[in-house]
């Protein structure tokens, strides 16, 4: 079974409401791992969050290329803001 179909099978089996709760849980575990976990724990929790995000991306039929373009735009927007002092004096 392809990864895309696997994401959809998992999402459809548990349903949107349950997967929203699971996404929240996985993000909290990732934050905890970043704050005090080992590199292995951080990597595992990052993978869990990414798997959950991918489930929602496939469930809502989000376009991968559009998403990657927007991600790139947002990175460069933030870098531009840093270079132009946008964040100076602000809580970063």
């Amino acid at each position: 079974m392809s990864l895309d179909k696997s994401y959809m099978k998992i999402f459809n089996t548990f349903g949107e409401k349950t997967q929203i709760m699971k996404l929240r849980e996985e993000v909290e575990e990732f934050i905890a791992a970043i704050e005090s976990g080992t590199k292995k724990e951080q990597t595992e929790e990052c993978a869990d969050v990414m798997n959950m995000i991918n489930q929602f991306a496939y469930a809502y039929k989000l376009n991968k290329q559009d998403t990657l373009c927007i991600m790139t735009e947002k990175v460069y927007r933030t870098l531009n803001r840093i270079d132009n002092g946008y964040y100076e004096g602000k809580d970063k």
Side-chain angles (χ1 to χ4, degrees), residues 26 78 88:
E26 295 297 355
T78 300
E88 290 176 19

Side-chain angles (χ1 to χ4, degrees), residues 11-81:
F11 190 88
N12 290 332
T13 297
F14 294 104
E16 179 184 49
K17 185 176 179 180
T18 298
Q19 291 310 82
I20 288 171
M21 292 186 308
K22 186 67 173 173
L23 173 59
R24 206 173 268 127
E25 173 190 324
E26 295 297 355
V27 169
E28 290 171 3
E29 290 175 2
F30 181 49
I31 292 168
I34 292 298
E35 291 176 338
S36 62
T38 65
K39 187 63 69 183
K40 183 178 185 302
E41 290 166 335
Q42 293 166 354
T43 303
E44 288 176 1
E45 296 305 332
C46 183
D48 287 342
V49 170
M50 292 174 78
N51 277 330
M52 294 304 302
I53 289 170
N54 281 320
Q55 284 180 41
F56 281 91
Y58 284 101
Y60 291 105
K61 296 176 176 55
L62 303 180
N63 183 285
K64 285 183 193 180
Q65 192 60 39
D66 290 347
T67 302
L68 289 172
C69 286
I70 292 168
M71 288 169 60
T72 301
E73 289 171 5
K74 288 179 176 274
V75 166
Y76 285 110
R77 180 185 66 194
T78 300
L79 290 172
N80 187 45
R81 287 178 174 178

